[in-house]
Amino acid sequence: MLIALSAVVISVCALVVSIYEVRIMRSEQRLSAFPYLSISKFYSGKGFGLRVKNSGTGLALIKSYKIRAGDNYFQSWQEVIDHYAPEGHSINYGIMSTNGLQDEVLTPNEEVILFEVQWTEESRALSQEVDDLEIRVCYASLLEDYWVVKSDKGRIQLSGPCKPNLKEEFMN
């Protein structure tokens, strides 16, 4: 009877250790597939721009991408320029380059230049104006963890997937 009881106790202990090991392995797996997006403004001798970078260890699956100022949601960079620099006739696609982010996958250490414009008198004024833009990117890991990163507030983990609103989505 004592041997049977000892076997049951040892089996229960082995089960508890196994469950604990599985939990540790799952957390390690999550860390190995952990994307971390950041949004930043940059300056160079040629001009200024905005970029998104994945500094994490896993793929970032972009689910939603919004740019707004106050209550105005923009769908293209031309709308942003028209809003902030309505007289900015020299700011056009001849001195500006843009990249989309909608439905993209960012690999670890990948950087996407969202918007870049060469220096002119009008673009220098625009560089000050776009500081109040709120860029919001909702993304997921391969393990279906969800986050939203905002240009002015940092990153927040979500309990479920983002629900894109097509009227608010940035399409460029």
Side-chain angles (χ1 to χ4, degrees), residues 2-68:
L2 184 61
I3 293 174
L5 186 59
S6 298
V8 169
V9 170
I10 290 172
S11 297
V12 169
C13 290
L15 180 63
V16 169
V17 169
S18 295
I19 291 171
Y20 184 69
E21 285 180 352
V22 167
R23 290 181 70 197
I24 290 172
M25 287 175 22
R26 283 192 164 216
S27 65
E28 286 176 355
Q29 185 182 31
R30 285 205 184 290
L31 290 175
S32 70
F34 184 75
Y36 189 89
L37 292 189
S38 59
I39 301 169
S40 62
K41 193 173 181 183
F42 67 91
Y43 299 92
S44 70
K46 294 181 183 179
F48 81 98
L50 298 163
R51 68 177 151 224
V52 173
K53 183 175 182 179
N54 181 2
S55 302
T57 56
L59 297 176
L61 312 168
I62 307 301
K63 300 294 185 181
S64 173
Y65 171 41
K66 298 177 184 181
I67 297 181
R68 73 178 190 154

Side-chain angles (χ1 to χ4, degrees), residues 37 60-65 101-104 106 137-139:
L37 292 189
L61 312 168
I62 307 301
K63 300 294 185 181
S64 173
Y65 171 41
L101 200 58
Q102 197 67 14
D103 297 323
E104 290 289 321
L106 273 66
V137 179
C138 182
Y139 64 101

Side-chain angles (χ1 to χ4, degrees), residues 98-117:
T98 64
N99 286 304
L101 200 58
Q102 197 67 14
D103 297 323
E104 290 289 321
V105 176
L106 273 66
T107 59
N109 295 318
E110 183 177 1
E111 178 179 281
V112 174
I113 307 287
L114 299 176
F115 170 79
E116 185 173 19
V117 65

Side-chain angles (χ1 to χ4, degrees), residues 114-144:
L114 299 176
F115 170 79
E116 185 173 19
V117 65
Q118 297 172 8
W119 289 123
T120 64
E121 289 301 317
E122 292 172 333
S123 68
R124 287 184 195 283
L126 179 65
S127 73
Q128 303 296 321
E129 295 291 324
V130 296
D131 284 341
D132 71 337
L133 269 182
E134 179 187 287
I135 301 171
R136 181 181 183 207
V137 179
C138 182
Y139 64 101
S141 71
L142 291 177
L143 299 173
E144 296 184 359

